[in-house]
Structures are given as structure tokens and as C-alpha cells.
């Protein structure tokens, strides 16, 4: 059996408001825009050793997007913005 994190309603509302605002901001950017990703999106940060994190939302700039392959399941590189929204139960 797998542990599942249940988020509360306030957490979900906050993420939706954030996503809507990020999307409107993204639409106003000139091409190429980069990408918005979300939903515990995986990001591998370079280092020694590399670190992989999951975030609620992120903006990945065009220079990082072009380095991804069609088989990429996580972002390889540093996003400009990464957001993690904590629930009241998070410690």
C-alpha cells in the first residue's frame, strides 16, 4: 500500500489561484515562452550529487526547455521559479 498525501481544500484553492495567475503572466511573455509545469513536477538540480525535487508549480525558461528530450520525465536543469505550497499539517 502506498502512502498518499491528502491536501486540504485551502491548499488546493491556493494552487489553483497561483496556476491561473502564472498562466496569465506566461501568456504575456514573448516567444519562446518556456514552460509552466505543476503537480509535483520533478526537477533535477545539478550538483555533486544531483538533487531531484518535486514542486507544486514551476516556470522553466526557454534555455532549459530546449535541453530536454522527448523522453524526459523530469526537468533537467534549474527553473526560474519553483513553488511548493505547504498545507497547515506540514511541519
Amino acid at each position: 500500500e502506498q502512502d498518499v498525501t491528502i491536501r486540504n481544500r485551502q491548499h488546493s484553492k491556493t494552487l489553483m489561484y497561483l496556476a491561473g495567475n502564472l498562466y496569465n503572466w506566461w501568456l504575456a511573455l514573448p516567444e519562446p515562452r518556456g514552460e509552466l509545469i505543476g503537480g509535483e513536477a520533478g526537477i533535477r538540480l545539478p550538483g555533486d550529487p544531483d538533487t531531484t525535487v518535486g514542486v507544486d508549480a514551476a516556470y522553466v525558461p526557454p534555455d532549459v526547455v530546449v535541453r530536454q528530450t522527448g523522453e524526459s520525465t523530469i526537468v533537467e536543469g534549474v527553473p526560474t521559479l519553483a513553488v511548493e505550497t505547504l498545507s497547515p499539517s506540514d511541519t
Side-chain angles (χ1 to χ4, degrees):
E1 189 172 306
Q2 189 177 23
D3 290 334
V4 176
T5 301
I6 304 296
R7 301 293 185 197
N8 69 27
R9 186 169 56 95
Q10 188 62 40
H11 180 272
S12 297
K13 283 175 31 181
T14 300
L15 286 178
M16 290 306 298
Y17 296 153
L18 172 71
N21 283 301
L22 279 175
Y23 183 71
N24 289 334
W25 170 80
W26 178 81
L27 284 175
L29 294 175
E31 293 284 346
R33 290 186 180 113
E35 292 181 345
L36 293 175
I37 58 174
E40 289 302 313
I43 299 171
R44 183 168 296 124
L45 303 171
D48 187 21
D50 291 349
T51 302
T52 302
V53 297
V55 297
D56 288 329
Y59 168 69
V60 182
D63 63 312
V64 175
V65 171
V66 299
R67 295 193 312 256
Q68 310 309 303
T69 67
E71 290 78 39
S72 295
T73 58
I74 64 173
V75 174
E76 299 281 348
V78 180
T80 300
L81 173 73
V83 179
E84 182 65 23
T85 306
L86 298 179
S87 292
S89 62
D90 289 333
T91 55

